[in-house]
Amino acid sequence: MESLNLDYNHFEHVPSCIGCLSALTFLSFNHNRLSDACLESLRADRNILSQLAVLRLGSNRLSSIEKLQLHRYPKLKSLFLHNNFISAVSNGLHSLWALKELVLDRNFIRQLHAHNFIDQINSLQELRLDHNLLDSISFVQDLTSLRSLHVSQNRLSHVIHLESLSTLTSLLEISVRRNHLCRKRIYRELALAKCPSLQIIDSRPISSIEQTLAATLSTPSTVLSVLSRTNAL
């Protein structure tokens, strides 16, 4: 068996028998009652689930990533932890060098500790953090493989946060809607000025007019001038 979906049940832990499914690549336990110790029943002294590539634990009762001991699944490419009770991301992702997609929407995350975060998942291509409590995105600066970033409905208050996008040369899509910074009339152009590789902002493709204006926003003095003229502040 390579795929197992046990969504919408009442599991409080992952049954130990699943550890015997050595060929399993996809495992889903969305919408259950899993707590932080949910994977402890899988014996750590065996090479269990060594081929696991996709793990979905959304809509459960998780509060700590570290307690999941995810380092035991080094081939993990996609990790879904949305709609839980996670408040911080510091440790818990080490050794996940193959991780490409991380979904943390609808949690209570206030901060991500940049050094640990980047060292652990620098191959990440998609990061989803919609509906959290973030007041900064500085942690993304060294995630140079990132192609898609979703941070809608957080606490990003000012366009200064868009400075963090300047090193993301592979970024194609970003979502920042329902943050206070979106009240600035030219936030899309400012994002594009910092990250010219962007093609889509808030689910809408970049227009030629936006590209032209973004090209003029190359210096801080120009940005301040434009913001002042448009009464964007």
Side-chain angles (χ1 to χ4, degrees), residues 181-215:
L181 67 81
C182 297
R183 298 183 182 183
K184 310 323 187 244
R185 296 180 184 176
I186 58 168
Y187 81 93
R188 289 173 58 88
E189 290 86 349
L190 289 169
L192 184 60
K194 294 301 177 184
C195 185
S197 61
L198 280 170
Q199 298 179 6
I200 299 173
I201 298 177
D202 290 336
S203 303
R204 198 174 82 215
I206 300 294
S207 70
S208 58
I209 295 176
E210 289 171 332
Q211 288 178 327
T212 300
L213 180 54

Side-chain angles (χ1 to χ4, degrees), residues 40-76:
E40 286 186 358
S41 57
L42 303 178
R43 291 179 57 192
D45 60 340
R46 294 169 53 191
N47 189 24
I48 49 104
L49 303 184
S50 60
Q51 302 303 311
L52 191 64
V54 179
L55 178 60
R56 296 185 174 182
L57 301 176
S59 298
N60 279 286
R61 301 173 179 176
L62 306 176
S63 61
S64 170
I65 296 178
E66 186 173 6
K67 291 181 180 179
L68 294 174
Q69 301 183 45
L70 296 172
H71 63 276
R72 292 191 283 170
Y73 316 108
K75 292 190 177 180
L76 205 59

Side-chain angles (χ1 to χ4, degrees), residues 113-124 127 137-146 163-170:
H113 300 284
H115 178 71
N116 291 336
F117 190 77
I118 291 163
D119 285 351
Q120 293 168 1
I121 53 172
N122 55 13
S123 62
L124 200 65
L127 177 58
I137 55 172
S138 60
F139 56 86
V140 305
Q141 293 181 18
D142 292 323
L143 294 176
T144 55
S145 297
L146 208 61
E163 293 281 347
S164 299
L165 305 179
S166 61
T167 58
L168 305 184
T169 57
S170 297

Side-chain angles (χ1 to χ4, degrees), residues 104-117:
L104 291 164
D105 297 336
R106 297 183 181 277
N107 277 283
F108 298 88
I109 299 171
R110 295 180 179 274
Q111 60 182 336
L112 288 86
H113 300 284
H115 178 71
N116 291 336
F117 190 77

Side-chain angles (χ1 to χ4, degrees), residues 2 26 34 42 55 59 61 76 83 91 93 100 107 145 148-149 152 155 162 167 173 186 204 206 208:
E2 294 184 359
F26 176 96
L34 302 179
L42 303 178
L55 178 60
S59 298
R61 301 173 179 176
L76 205 59
N83 199 25
N91 296 311
L93 297 171
K100 303 295 184 184
N107 277 283
S145 297
S148 181
L149 175 64
S152 293
R155 296 180 176 179
L162 300 175
T167 58
E173 178 181 9
I186 58 168
R204 198 174 82 215
I206 300 294
S208 58

